[in-house]
Amino acid sequence: MEEKKIIFSGIQPTGVFTLGNYLGAIRNWKNLQNEYNSIFCVVDLHALTVRQVPKDLRHQTYQAYALLLACGIDPEKALVFVQSHVSGHTELSWILNNYTYFGELSRMTQFKVKSQKHEDNINAGLFDYPVLMAADILLYQANLVPIGADQKQHLELARDVADRFNNAYSPTFAVPEGYFGKSGARVKSLQEPTKKMSKSDTNDKGYILLLDSPNVIRKKFRSAVTDSDARVAYDPENKAGIANLMEIYQAITGESLEAIETKFEGQGYGAFKDAVADVVIGELEPIQKRFEELMSDKKGLEAIMKEHAEKASRMAVKTLRKVKKKIGLVQV
Ligand code: ATP
Ligand code: LTN
């Protein structure tokens, strides 16, 4: 019998997840967990690359974990754990640093963007971020990595590092492929529709958070940037704001862009924005309810975290042993 493929993905606890995280990543994870051996990780160590307030990071990590479960990641089907609970990630990351070139890391778009955003704190962790991500993936021999389009470059790097290591010694790591969902791969900011919707955006009108109340969601969609053309038509070049709203509507309802154009023909942007808000509110309502239940039982959450971290550690150790042996580290 053929073994099920392994998928691995991670998300940072840098704030409440956005609609972009949900449509671009988490929703796909939920669908994939039935078909694959799935491993999902709250990557708290990655979050350290920009300065965090300790008590907020702690709270956000619980929140992130509970939100994943609330979004339908099932701890009976998938492994869900917190990155810093498994020490193998940092260990492998150090080793892989020695197989990654300065030039490669210098080319990473996310590094350039975040360096501009945090000019006062361009630290080595920010630069090294993709190597830790490669370690996350390679540690579990993942075959498939479901991510939004913004993470494609990092995945390419993980593949290159895996290949380089495998060629230098002998096959050690599975070389992972990216998995990009059909829709929602790149949800844009509601205020600057050429940029991705990001939970660390300083303008809170740019994103919809999974825990935003129905009122807030409606307000944010109503103030979304559009254009003066007043036609619901799909034209990402010239009508980026409307195109983004159409993509969100499509990602949730499954209706085609043509069908959406027809449905809202002759209606103003106001009506369309409200319709988008309605479908988003409907999608998030059950998630918010489940989230509240989970957060009211922290001990229960911690028990799941612990059990899953132990399972993940056992998998991680296997890969690490192989790696250490190949490169000549003495193991006793
Ligand atoms: P931050 O703002 O802290 O950099 P982020 O909101 O970009 O974070 P991550 O934790 O880096 O989110 O990403 C988690 C997952 O969500 C990744 O797979 C990423 O590709 C996906 N993702 C993030 N933003 C979007 C978006 N706007 N559209 C689609 N997918 C996204
Ligand atoms: N870098 C990713 C989060 C992340 C990840 C991973 C995704 C960390 N490790 C491993 C997939 C696989 C991000 O910023 N979205």
Side-chain angles (χ1 to χ4, degrees):
M1 199 179 75
E2 207 185 319
E3 283 254 332
K4 271 193 194 173
K5 284 195 171 172
I6 299 175
I7 66 172
F8 182 98
S9 200
I11 190 158
Q12 300 187 68
T14 36
V16 175
F17 299 155
T18 67
L19 189 63
N21 296 138
Y22 177 71
L23 296 176
I26 305 166
R27 202 177 55 155
N28 292 326
W29 299 4
K30 176 184 145 194
N31 296 332
L32 292 166
Q33 68 184 345
N34 297 315
E35 284 169 63
Y36 298 92
N37 275 333
S38 307
I39 310 172
F40 303 120
C41 188
V42 175
V43 292
D44 53 349
L45 298 171
H46 276 106
L48 300 179
T49 56
V50 304
R51 202 59 80 229
Q52 304 290 336
V53 177
K55 80 168 178 6
D56 294 349
L57 178 61
R58 196 171 299 125
H59 179 63
Q60 283 160 7
T61 302
Y62 281 105
Q63 261 191 342
Y65 196 84
L67 262 177
L68 289 183
L69 303 188
C71 286
I73 306 294
D74 180 352
E76 298 290 322
K77 292 182 183 159
L79 206 51
V80 200
F81 68 99
V82 177
Q83 189 184 32
S84 66
H85 294 176
V86 179
S87 60
H89 293 248
T90 40
E91 228 179 308
L92 182 61
S93 162
W94 175 257
I95 294 174
L96 295 181
N97 272 332
N98 306 292
Y99 301 84
T100 311
Y101 298 116
F102 184 87
E104 286 177 313
L105 292 176
S106 309
R107 284 195 289 276
M108 295 291 124
T109 308
Q110 182 175 298
F111 173 67
K112 292 185 206 162
V113 172
K114 296 224 165 164
S115 302
Q116 274 172 6
K117 229 164 120 184
H118 306 278
E119 266 183 334
D120 53 335
N121 184 21
I122 306 178
N123 59 60
L126 194 64
F127 188 66
D128 203 33
Y129 180 112
V131 181
L132 180 58
M133 176 161 164
D136 296 340
I137 299 167
L138 303 184
L139 201 49
Y140 299 94
Q141 305 291 345
N143 307 105
L144 214 59
V145 182
I147 37 173
D150 62 304
Q151 294 300 312
K152 207 171 170 183
Q153 204 184 19
H154 290 164
L155 183 74
E156 284 300 320
L157 183 83
R159 288 170 56 87
D160 290 345
V161 172
D163 270 330
R164 193 169 297 147
F165 193 98
N166 289 345
N167 289 330
Y169 304 95
S170 56
T172 309
F173 298 120
V175 181
E177 307 272 341
Y179 176 96
F180 304 92
K182 283 184 264 325
S183 61
R186 213 187 280 265
V187 179
K188 309 292 188 331
S189 156
L190 299 183
Q191 291 299 313
E192 290 175 87
T194 51
K195 289 197 186 151
K196 79 161 186 168
M197 181 182 283
S198 166
K199 56 178 135 61
S200 57
D201 195 338
T202 42
N203 183 354
D204 68 356
K205 284 192 184 150
Y207 52 66
I208 301 288
L209 299 180
L210 298 191
L211 300 178
D212 278 345
S213 70
N215 264 341
V216 168
I217 294 176
R218 199 172 296 284
K219 271 196 200 130
K220 285 182 177 174
F221 276 116
R222 281 189 181 159
S223 66
V225 167
T226 49
D227 52 65
S228 54
D229 178 40
R231 237 169 6 98
V232 178
Y234 191 69
D235 180 357
E237 288 268 309
N238 303 306
K239 295 160 67 68
I242 284 296
N244 187 35
L245 296 180
M246 289 178 75
E247 284 171 15
I248 292 172
Y249 193 87
Q250 176 192 40
I252 292 178
T253 62
E255 291 172 31
S256 69
L257 295 169
E258 298 75 45
I260 297 168
E261 283 181 0
T262 313
K263 190 168 180 174
F264 292 97
E265 204 177 319
Q267 299 190 36
Y269 285 166
F272 177 56
K273 284 176 167 180
D274 272 341
V276 180
D278 285 338
V279 297
V280 170
I281 291 166
E283 180 82 8
L284 298 188
E285 194 186 70
I287 294 175
Q288 296 183 352
K289 208 167 147 241
R290 181 83 187 104
F291 172 79
E292 291 306 331
E293 290 166 10
L294 287 160
M295 283 299 273
S296 67
D297 178 16
K298 283 251 177 78
K299 285 274 166 287
L301 273 185
E302 284 169 359
I304 311 174
M305 279 181 181
K306 190 149 192 266
E307 184 198 327
H308 283 234
E310 282 164 6
K311 279 194 202 154
S313 293
R314 285 197 286 277
M315 294 178 75
V317 160
K318 283 193 191 152
T319 300
L320 266 171
R321 286 202 151 268
K322 264 208 296 197
V323 168
K324 288 178 179 174
K325 186 168 172 213
K326 294 204 185 188
I327 60 179
L329 300 180
V330 172
Q331 298 177 84
V332 288

